[in-house]
Amino acid sequence: MATPLEKWVEEQAKLCKPEKIYWCDGSEEEAHRLIEVGMKEEKIGDTPIFQELNQKAWPNAYFHRSHPTDVARTEHLTFVCHPDKETAGPNNNWMHPDEAKEKMRKLSEGCMKGRTMYVLPYMMGHPDSPYSKACVQLTDVAYVAVSMRIMTRMAKKVIEKIGNRDDFVKGLHSVGDFDPNKRFIMHFPDEHLVWSIGSGYGGNALLGKKCFSLRIASYLGLQEGWLAEHMVILGIEDPKGNVTYVTAAMPSACGKTNLAMLESALPGYKVWTLGDDIAWFNVGPDGRLWAINPEIGLFGVAPGTSTKTNPNMLKALKGTKFYPTLFTNTALNTDTNEPWWEGLDGEVPRNLIDWQGKSWQNGQDTKAAHPNSRFTVSIYNSPTLSKEFDNPKGVPISAIILGGRRTQLIPLVTEAFNWQHGVFLGARTGSETTAAAIHQVGVLRRDPMAMLPFCGYNMGDYFRHWLNIGSRLKDPPKIYSVNWFRVDDDGKFIWPGFGENIRVLKWIVDRVHNKVDAKNTPLGYIPYLKDLNLQGISISKNTLEKLFEINPAQWQPELADIEKFFGQFGNNMPKEVWEQYKMLKNSLDNGTTDESFDSLRYTDRGGA
Ligand code: OXD
Ligand code: MN
């Protein structure tokens, strides 16, 4: 008797009509074979999907060039298909599930003709974790099959784990003919199903990642009482060897990966990596908040990665623990057969071809590597991997950091007065956009908890869910806002960022352990400058003050924009969040000083 999984695969094959079906076992030997297939047989246009790179300089590394129109997430073609529009909320594109399925069925009819259908069984989370989920994705391209092996725990054993159940997470993916007009990423949360056609780009095609582990999982979390978040997880070790675990949300391409692998500029401090993109939170039996990273790979933006910005990532990219490592849409040095991108150390190589394969000269007004060119590498290659990474329980979280890219207004670091204020702080976060999704770059958009493109249901209900989780926690993590991107009057970044961000992390750890007091402001608690360790960097006192400046007049348009954003969620927006908004507005309007603001603040999580 066929299992529900076998039946499901058979039905999809009937629709997509692949030439053959291949069940992956996730082994290294298989990955070698799939790379071979990608170098010899599978092509996009005339280009084989994989090209071997210089194995001496970049062991186990292969290059992939995407279809030229398929370079980033396509949010306008991404739909969350709840039976009713209100559940999807104003933050999602919505289509009725019946209509979406009809559309996808038509587009998928025969879409795998002449190709192989790969069946990928994988776990999101450690197989022994009570929080993990068993999943199966179908795809018609070896690039996706190999990428999924790097990013997830792909293994034959998952098939046994699924057994006769039919509630496994389902993903049907085909690159179709790469036609952007026939490209859709459809989510069916009630069925734990993602159906994606027309794109091979990571965020659209590796369905365990954004599609399942954020959009569908966030909705599962709402139903089951947990949170799926767009966050890194890291451990900060102090000179005494104590490790404090924190998570951080930042919109795409704002330095999240660099933070997760930070090389500390402060002697005695060390950062241990547990995740660079996604965190699943559960309230543990002890009433604390515990986090796991459901992934095992890093899918990061290449441009800007260097020994200055992220030395540990370069070590991971040259690591040999896990086969293989992929580079997508970088430039290529044709003399040495090495990948290259803007920002990489050293001279610009003389003979380069750009990400589309065209010859490229230094000084040309286009970029050699696509701004959203990526690497896909195993987290096990990371020299900073935490020894807790494979702990099925995850790690207990002491602080949650929420960030964005803001050239004005937002201080370097602020501590929320309490959980509720922290939810407001996350809800009002804005960020200037980057190249990770197709839209205008550098425009301010509200991106609560960096989840705007990834929350699989109405964000008003999402804020409510955060408040509810907080009320179940015995000792909720403290919540912080950070902004590494504030500029001075000449438009230059004030804060040096990267490894120096440890100074902010140290302050956060000191606050978590009640070692330092903080200054009360309308926005939250900020550091007394004496408590920020600034040894070894030179920033004048004036400039430093600018990093923490709160100018009520400048805040007026910001408040209006926040009000407008919150207003979209109508009755779904919790009144607690509006109360926080009013409190901020009042305190800014009244030009409240440090002292007078004391009467407004929540005092339960107050001083040191
Ligand atoms: C990513 C993203 O790829 O957030 O991680 O876009
Ligand atoms: Mn991300």
Side-chain angles (χ1 to χ4, degrees), residues 210 230 252 256 277:
K210 304 298 189 181
H230 191 201
S252 312
K256 227 160 80 240
D277 198 39

Side-chain angles (χ1 to χ4, degrees), residues 354-593:
D354 73 5
W355 66 278
Q356 298 195 72
K358 300 188 189 115
S359 135
W360 187 89
Q361 306 303 321
N362 194 6
Q364 194 170 315
D365 61 1
T366 57
K367 304 272 188 215
H370 188 277
N372 193 36
S373 55
R374 297 272 176 154
F375 47 73
T376 317
V377 62
S378 170
I379 202 166
Y380 294 107
N381 271 9
S382 164
T384 56
L385 186 66
S386 162
K387 64 177 183 2
E388 296 298 324
F389 178 72
D390 275 317
N391 187 335
K393 285 198 300 204
V395 289
I397 298 304
S398 300
I400 298 174
I401 301 171
L402 305 165
R405 177 184 286 268
R406 294 301 299 268
T407 46
Q408 307 290 337
L409 286 185
I410 307 296
L412 178 65
V413 57
T414 318
E415 180 184 299
F417 299 127
N418 58 14
W419 181 269
Q420 213 159 298
H421 181 233
V423 173
F424 166 63
L425 210 148
R428 70 163 166 76
T429 301
S431 192
E432 287 152 34
T433 50
T434 67
I438 292 179
H439 45 43
Q440 205 183 338
V441 171
V443 185
L444 179 71
R445 82 165 174 179
R446 297 280 141 213
D447 192 354
M449 283 83 164
M451 279 291 277
L452 185 74
F454 306 119
C455 181
Y457 62 100
N458 190 314
M459 271 205 137
D461 299 334
Y462 167 81
F463 302 134
R464 158 74 49 220
H465 185 43
W466 263 76
L467 294 170
N468 290 344
I469 292 277
S471 65
R472 283 170 53 206
L473 292 168
K474 259 205 212 114
D475 184 19
K478 290 194 181 202
I479 300 180
Y480 296 83
S481 124
V482 299
N483 176 26
W484 319 133
F485 301 96
R486 205 156 175 178
V487 297
D488 62 17
D489 295 339
D490 299 327
K492 291 214 185 78
F493 291 121
I494 303 176
W495 183 246
F498 307 112
E500 307 295 351
N501 291 337
I502 189 70
R503 298 167 195 275
V504 174
L505 297 181
K506 175 185 180 302
W507 182 77
I508 290 173
V509 170
D510 287 346
R511 285 291 294 164
V512 163
H513 299 297
N514 293 320
K515 287 198 185 139
V516 292
D517 208 343
K519 193 167 159 183
N520 196 357
T521 77
L523 298 185
Y525 298 114
I526 62 170
Y528 286 111
L529 292 186
K530 69 173 175 49
D531 295 324
L532 264 186
N533 183 330
L534 296 171
Q535 262 169 26
I537 49 174
S538 66
I539 305 182
S540 73
K541 184 150 182 293
N542 267 355
T543 319
L544 256 175
E545 276 166 1
K546 175 102 190 145
L547 269 179
F548 291 99
E549 186 183 80
I550 301 168
N551 179 335
Q554 269 188 0
W555 267 84
Q556 293 311 313
E558 178 80 1
L559 286 169
D561 194 58
I562 295 168
E563 189 171 332
K564 191 166 144 226
F565 180 74
F566 285 2
Q568 293 175 84
F569 301 101
N571 290 337
N572 295 75
M573 194 69 181
K575 69 174 186 341
E576 291 89 332
V577 179
W578 277 120
E579 277 163 18
Q580 294 291 336
Y581 170 81
K582 281 184 207 136
M583 219 147 68
L584 172 63
K585 190 166 160 55
N586 283 342
S587 56
L588 285 166
D589 285 352
N590 298 337
T592 336
T593 62

